[in-house]
Amino acid sequence: MKFATHFAIFFLFLTCSAATSNEGCIQCHTDESILESLVAIPKIKPQTGGPAGPPVAVTPKAYHKRYLIDKALLDKDPHFINGCSSCHKGDEKSIDQEKAHVGIIKKPSADLKICSDCHGDITKAYQGAPHYTVQGMLNKVSKRLSKKEEAIFIEKVFGQSCKSCHASCGDCHVSSPSSGGISTGLMRGHSFIKKDEGKTCAVCHGGRVYPEYTGKHNTTPDVHFQRGMACIDCHKKSHIHGGPDGAGKNEKMVQNKPKCSDCHKLGREAKVTAKLAHARHKGSVSCYGCHSQGEYNNCYNCHIGKGATLKLGFILGINPVDKKTLTTLRAIPVARDTFLGAGIKMESFDEVPDYRATSVHNIQKSTERTRSCDTCHVKRKGFLSKDSLMKNGSKANESLIFKLLPLNIN
């Protein structure tokens, strides 16, 4: 069977050698029947999902298509001028599958130098971007670790686990990033595309944010999604690629993050009641605190290799960053024994809260809280309290409990 397959490849190679490309790799990767016979479906360990959402489905009859190149691109796309091996290496002349893939580079853009010749300004900025360095993850976890533990974490956990969220140029512009250890492959036959949010943003942010935005969590889609707005309408290119507004390698978060007031200027409200409510709550309550339409996903009890437990909930508490604002909080999936398997006890676990301020992506103009002051000021619905704090959590969690004053109607 293997001989017959190789013979077919060899025949195709001879008959098509004068076609668009003389590379052996093109002969296989543009022919679906050959790919289907050669591509083996990998054995995927059972996944429980986690912060990046459920694992990508593996469909036996379609798996090979993730490696299929659109032959029409070869004469149109300038990226193919120097041939496949200029980026992917390997042996382009071999018609043997194993020999052709010796030394192959699956993700060339992991080395930004590959893209820098033509996109130098972007790659220079992207070197320090959060999507590339994932330094923000390390910064946050490090606060719970001793110096000795931090060194162990970097060696045994960060590189093997957290660093897997690192995104190269190709993860967003050529093929979908990996989730659950597997990728859906080429998005459009190896086209270099500007954006395809459903196959890029949604893969990595598909456990919480994107399903909230699109209404997949048993709620109505975010009002901005209903109006046709995409992720990049708020999260500008400079935030994603890095630059003046982007976070540097050692910074905790993106500077100048999108704000509701960028588009919704205070004082321009059509209704007097809305104008008064905004004036009264300005600087003390975030927009999400009132305009989140309801429950959103929170992650609990994450452990190395086992994912996290997802649970819907709505949590209001003090913003851990500024300590002045009441806002929506999201549970962080870390637990005291999350890294115990790597010998890390997290000696400073209680220094950091287990909740963080979150920009919830399920916004509506009219919600339960905008319709009635009693929802917050009398019923205190959704407010973090000693009774609702996660069990065996950080002692710092209590600092996020908001002491709500009696309703002042004067």
Side-chain angles (χ1 to χ4, degrees):
M1 182 67 184
K2 187 175 182 181
F3 173 79
T5 301
H6 284 183
F7 181 81
I9 297 172
F10 180 69
F11 179 76
L12 182 64
F13 179 81
L14 292 178
T15 55
C16 300
S17 60
T20 309
S21 171
N22 60 2
E23 292 190 7
C25 44
I26 286 297
Q27 312 309 320
C28 289
H29 284 275
T30 58
D31 190 293
E32 186 173 346
S33 61
I34 291 178
L35 275 182
E36 188 172 9
S37 68
L38 293 178
V39 175
I41 301 173
K43 293 181 180 179
I44 306 298
K45 294 181 180 180
Q47 298 286 329
T48 58
V56 178
V58 178
T59 306
K61 290 184 178 180
Y63 186 79
H64 63 280
K65 292 183 179 180
R66 62 194 64 202
Y67 302 107
L68 185 63
I69 296 173
D70 182 357
K71 199 169 186 176
L73 295 171
L74 303 180
D75 295 326
K76 298 178 181 179
D77 194 323
H79 292 90
F80 287 94
I81 289 177
N82 295 320
C84 306
S85 61
S86 62
C87 292
H88 289 281
K89 304 305 178 185
D91 184 355
E92 64 186 39
K93 296 180 180 180
S94 178
I95 58 172
D96 180 84
Q97 184 181 13
E98 293 183 4
K99 292 180 180 179
H101 289 85
V102 172
I104 201 77
I105 299 175
K106 294 181 179 180
K107 297 175 64 174
S109 62
D111 180 358
L112 295 180
K113 293 179 181 178
I114 292 291
C115 305
S116 64
D117 288 343
C118 297
H119 306 283
D121 54 337
I122 295 175
T123 54
K124 183 178 180 180
Y126 195 55
Q127 291 176 9
H131 279 96
Y132 188 69
T133 66
V134 289
Q135 183 70 27
M137 292 183 179
L138 179 58
N139 292 337
K140 292 170 184 174
V141 175
S142 293
K143 290 184 177 181
R144 299 179 186 267
L145 312 175
S146 65
K147 287 295 181 183
K148 183 178 180 180
E149 287 180 325
E150 184 177 0
I152 298 173
F153 179 81
I154 293 173
E155 179 186 354
K156 294 186 177 181
V157 181
F158 186 67
Q160 288 72 34
S161 181
C162 308
K163 194 75 174 177
S164 64
C165 288
H166 153 107
S168 69
C169 305
D171 285 324
C172 294
H173 298 290
V174 182
S175 62
S176 291
S178 175
S179 174
I182 193 168
S183 167
T184 56
L186 300 173
M187 285 186 277
R188 299 181 195 170
H190 212 304
S191 297
F192 285 76
I193 59 178
K194 192 171 184 179
K195 65 177 181 178
D196 190 335
E197 295 180 347
K199 294 182 179 179
T200 52
C201 306
V203 173
C204 292
H205 300 280
R208 295 173 295 196
V209 176
Y210 202 75
E212 287 169 14
Y213 192 58
T214 56
K216 300 298 184 182
H217 285 332
N218 301 318
T219 57
T220 305
D222 187 289
V223 66
H224 303 91
F225 180 79
Q226 294 181 51
R227 299 291 177 87
M229 290 180 65
C231 305
I232 204 163
D233 287 323
C234 292
H235 300 276
K236 303 300 182 184
K237 184 168 63 175
S238 59
H239 296 158
I240 298 170
H241 284 169
D245 291 340
K249 290 183 180 179
N250 298 313
E251 293 177 357
K252 289 182 289 186
M253 63 184 70
V254 171
Q255 304 300 311
N256 300 322
K257 294 174 70 174
K259 298 185 290 291
C260 302
S261 57
D262 291 340
C263 296
H264 305 283
K265 305 296 182 183
L266 293 177
R268 296 182 183 178
E269 299 88 343
K271 294 182 178 180
V272 175
T273 52
K275 188 175 293 187
L276 289 172
H278 288 159
R280 178 66 64 90
H281 293 87
K282 180 182 178 182
S284 59
V285 182
S286 74
C287 301
Y288 317 106
C290 291
H291 290 283
S292 168
Q293 60 178 290
E295 293 185 324
Y296 46 87
N297 245 334
N298 290 270
C299 295
Y300 298 89
N301 303 318
C302 186
H303 295 268
I304 300 175
K306 296 182 181 180
T309 302
L310 297 179
K311 184 179 178 181
L312 286 171
F314 179 83
I315 308 169
L316 285 172
I318 295 174
N319 187 328
V321 177
D322 65 19
K323 300 292 185 180
K324 300 175 183 177
T325 310
L326 174 69
T327 190
T328 42
L329 300 176
R330 200 187 299 270
I332 299 171
V334 67
R336 290 183 184 272
D337 57 351
T338 292
F339 308 119
L340 200 56
I344 300 173
K345 296 181 180 179
M346 287 193 280
E347 296 177 9
S348 301
F349 184 85
D350 292 309
E351 297 296 317
V352 184
D354 300 322
Y355 303 87
R356 64 176 175 82
T358 183
S359 305
V360 185
H361 288 65
N362 63 355
I363 299 301
Q364 290 294 321
K365 184 177 181 180
S366 178
T367 68
E368 184 180 8
R369 287 165 296 286
T370 63
R371 288 190 290 267
S372 174
C373 302
D374 288 355
T375 303
C376 286
H377 291 276
V378 177
K379 299 178 182 178
R380 305 195 177 202
K381 191 171 182 179
F383 279 77
L384 197 65
S385 66
K386 284 189 177 181
D387 292 334
S388 65
L389 287 174
M390 63 179 70
K391 305 301 180 185
N392 199 31
S394 170
K395 293 178 181 178
N397 293 341
E398 291 192 21
S399 67
L400 305 184
I401 297 174
F402 188 83
K403 297 178 180 179
L404 189 64
L405 298 175
L407 182 62
N408 181 4
I409 59 175
N410 296 320

